[in-house]
Amino acid sequence: MKDSFKLVANNKKAYHDYFIDEKFECGIELFGTEVKSIRMGHCSIKEAFVRIDKGEVYVYGMHINPYEKGNIFNKDPLRARRLLMHRREIDKLEGKIREKGLTLVPLQVYFKGSLVKVEIGLARGKKLYDKRADMAKKDMKREVERDYKEKLR
């Protein structure tokens, strides 16, 4: 049961706005009331982004609603949270970030067993024509599936 997977938050906007080159799984430093709030599904990473400061990886803009029964123990919902990664992974990411046009974006938050994990992606920004091409492919695929479904009737 250790490798059970429960998705809490997904960042679909990241897949629309960026090409994801590489994905990394990392832990996140949280307080007890934040974990309880995430367990209830009160977490959003739509506007979140990841930065590396002084050899530490932080996620900014990740919104975790305050826990209802948390009173004085609740923390700021939008505070910067440290991501837990190995030093060599952080160094590798830092080297790649220096390349032109690469950034780090959070892709999803999930429970792996009893631990909260964040999947971050090394991303390259899409141009407007790339987004249009993706939308056209998606529409074409939807149309083909619709035709196929009607053909079966």
Side-chain angles (χ1 to χ4, degrees):
M1 195 71 185
K2 183 71 177 162
D3 43 321
S4 64
F5 180 89
K6 181 187 172 213
L7 186 66
V8 178
N10 197 3
N11 192 356
K12 291 180 181 177
K13 188 178 177 194
Y15 289 100
H16 182 263
D17 292 340
Y18 301 99
F19 293 114
I20 308 299
D21 293 342
E22 249 182 291
K23 294 179 182 178
F24 298 90
E25 178 184 76
C26 47
I28 183 167
E29 190 176 70
L30 296 171
F31 290 94
T33 55
E34 291 176 320
V35 175
K36 289 178 180 183
S37 188
I38 288 176
R39 244 180 234 296
M40 293 169 50
H42 299 297
C43 175
S44 172
I45 55 172
K46 280 187 174 66
E47 301 297 321
F49 60 96
V50 179
R51 285 231 175 100
I52 300 176
D53 295 332
K54 300 175 191 148
E56 301 280 341
V57 184
Y58 291 94
V59 62
Y60 296 90
M62 178 177 168
H63 189 276
I64 299 176
N65 283 355
Y67 184 58
E68 296 159 3
K69 300 177 181 103
N71 57 41
I72 61 166
F73 300 108
N74 281 330
K75 302 292 179 191
D76 177 29
L78 287 172
R79 73 181 182 85
R81 294 172 178 88
R82 187 165 66 125
L83 297 178
L84 309 172
M85 296 179 79
H86 292 282
R87 169 66 43 213
R88 64 182 176 279
E89 286 182 317
I90 295 173
D91 292 341
K92 179 182 172 185
L93 282 176
E94 221 168 355
K96 290 192 175 191
I97 292 294
R98 289 196 181 106
E99 288 180 35
K100 187 180 175 200
L102 288 178
T103 187
L104 289 171
V105 290
L107 301 174
Q108 51 184 251
V109 177
Y110 55 92
F111 277 97
K112 189 172 183 182
S114 62
L115 303 174
V116 179
K117 299 287 185 177
V118 178
E119 185 178 63
I120 61 173
L122 190 62
R124 180 173 277 113
K126 283 186 182 178
K127 304 280 189 239
L128 186 60
Y129 56 83
D130 291 327
K131 292 179 190 178
R132 284 191 192 129
D134 281 353
M135 287 173 68
K137 280 183 196 171
K138 200 173 178 183
D139 290 342
M140 185 102 72
K141 185 178 176 185
R142 192 179 300 124
E143 194 67 37
V144 167
E145 286 176 4
R146 189 179 298 130
D147 290 345
Y148 180 71
K149 197 173 184 180
E150 285 181 15
K151 200 177 201 182
L152 289 177
R153 287 185 184 175

